[in-house]
Amino acid sequence: MDSFAFDNIFEQERPQRGGRAKQAKRKWREIEALKDQQRLRRELQDIDMLGDFSSSEYEL
């Protein structure tokens, strides 16, 4: 491979990777975190025998 061809490799435009894909993944992770919090809150309410569960104590 001569130097001219080698230089052309670095000058080529590289496609932009999905900035939108990263945002979608982040939103999906946020949704999953909210679902986990809701699931935890329901589980805590289910095992609360004394009825003194307060969801404000467990807010993250």
Side-chain angles (χ1 to χ4, degrees):
M1 185 179 209
D2 59 351
S3 65
F4 179 71
F6 189 69
D7 291 339
N8 284 341
I9 291 173
F10 292 112
E11 291 176 2
Q12 292 176 349
E13 290 281 330
R14 294 187 182 188
Q16 292 290 331
R17 288 213 157 170
R20 185 174 182 185
K22 288 183 180 181
Q23 291 174 354
K25 287 181 181 179
R26 186 176 339 147
K27 286 183 181 183
W28 183 252
R29 288 185 186 125
E30 291 174 4
I31 291 170
E32 287 296 318
L34 289 173
K35 287 182 179 180
D36 287 341
Q37 287 177 358
Q38 290 174 350
R39 190 177 309 119
L40 176 63
R41 189 174 295 123
R42 282 194 303 267
E43 289 176 7
L44 289 173
Q45 286 175 344
D46 288 343
I47 62 173
D48 185 24
M49 294 179 166
L50 301 176
D52 59 351
F53 173 76
S54 174
S55 62
S56 63
E57 294 177 19
Y58 302 101
E59 291 293 321
L60 300 175

